[in-house]
Structure formats: structure tokens, C-alpha cells
Amino acid sequence: LQDDLKGSTRLCGYSVGVTVLFEVPVFHYSKYLLKEWGHDVLFVVAMVAYVIRAFGYTLLTASTVHWVLALEVLHGITFACMWIASVDYSARVAPEEWSTSFQSVLSMTMSCVGGGVGPIIGGIIMEKYGAEAMFRGMGLAIAIVTCIHLIAWLGFRQGHDAFLHRVSPNESS
């Protein structure tokens, strides 16, 4: 943001603030969202928001860099929807005696794989091909995953919520 688009440090700080500002209400209404929308809708919302944000980053220029704040709204929605659905889903599928282990694996996957491997691979792609290629590639990858998820969920009725209903009909959302 600062190097490629000449964004100020203040803008970078605001972007983090906007992200968190939009995570808070989504987390606040998590029980309602899970009950009314379910895991599959929350996962799809997160993935679509990510795809729009990733491709949106590639459209920014030095003269439009302030639009990053609008894109960061999607970052907050992406993370909150994904995390709400992931944590609740793993809690529901885990046997009671394994619930802590399931949550630990989820957190480790998010932190270590997502937060460790992701930046390394992204950094290599960015260094070799540039930020635009990295964001477009990730946007495309998540768009493909979204399509696969939609086909499994809507086409074959094999989404996360259908699985929960088969495993425990009384507890599914």
C-alpha cells in the first residue's frame, strides 16, 4: 500500500481500524447469523467478500488509493463470517471429549498455515510477479473454491449444514 500506491501510514492505520470496525457487529450478531443463515451462507459470504476485495486491490492506483478503506470493510466481513462459521462448525462436529483439540487444530491451521505459509507463498509470488498478480491469483483461487462449495452445497445438497443435520438432527442450525 505504501510502496506501490504511495499510501500514507495514516491510511494504513485507518484501513486496520475499518477492518475491525466492521468485524465487531458481525461477531456481535454471530448467533443470529448462524441461526438465520447457517454455516454455508457465512462461508460463501466470506469467500465472495474476499474475491471482491482481492480483485479490488488490483484496481487501486495512487490516485484512488483511499478506496482501500471501502475494500477493508470486506476484509472485516470476510474474517468475521469465516471465523464464526469455522469455530461453530468445528465445535458441532467434534466429539465432546475432542472439542478443545478441534478448536486448537482450527486455530493452529488459521495461524500457522494461513498466517505462516500464506505470507511466504504470497511473498514469493509478489516478488516474482508483482502484487497485482498475487491478488488476482488469490482472488481466482478463492473464486474457484467458492464455485466448488456452491456446487456441492446447492447442486448436491452436501453443504456443511446438511452434514450437521445428518450427524445430529436436533443440533443443526
Side-chain angles (χ1 to χ4, degrees), residues 39 86-96 98-99 102-103 160 163-165 167-168 171:
H39 302 92
S86 298
V87 168
D88 188 73
Y89 185 77
S90 67
R92 289 175 184 257
V93 298
E96 190 174 331
W98 286 90
S99 63
F102 270 58
Q103 294 298 320
H160 297 87
F163 176 78
L164 283 177
H165 184 67
V167 171
S168 180
E171 291 186 29

Side-chain angles (χ1 to χ4, degrees), residues 62-133:
S63 62
T64 62
V65 70
H66 289 87
W67 281 99
V68 73
L69 297 177
L71 293 171
E72 290 306 302
V73 169
L74 296 173
H75 188 183
I77 292 169
T78 298
F79 179 75
C81 286
M82 179 279 308
W83 197 244
I84 290 165
S86 298
V87 168
D88 188 73
Y89 185 77
S90 67
R92 289 175 184 257
V93 298
E96 190 174 331
E97 63 274 9
W98 286 90
S99 63
T100 303
S101 296
F102 270 58
Q103 294 298 320
S104 296
V105 168
L106 173 64
S107 184
M108 182 181 61
T109 302
M110 172 70 176
S111 300
C112 296
V113 177
V117 176
I120 292 169
I121 293 171
I124 292 168
I125 294 169
M126 211 161 149
E127 187 174 275
K128 190 167 184 164
Y129 302 105
E132 188 174 318

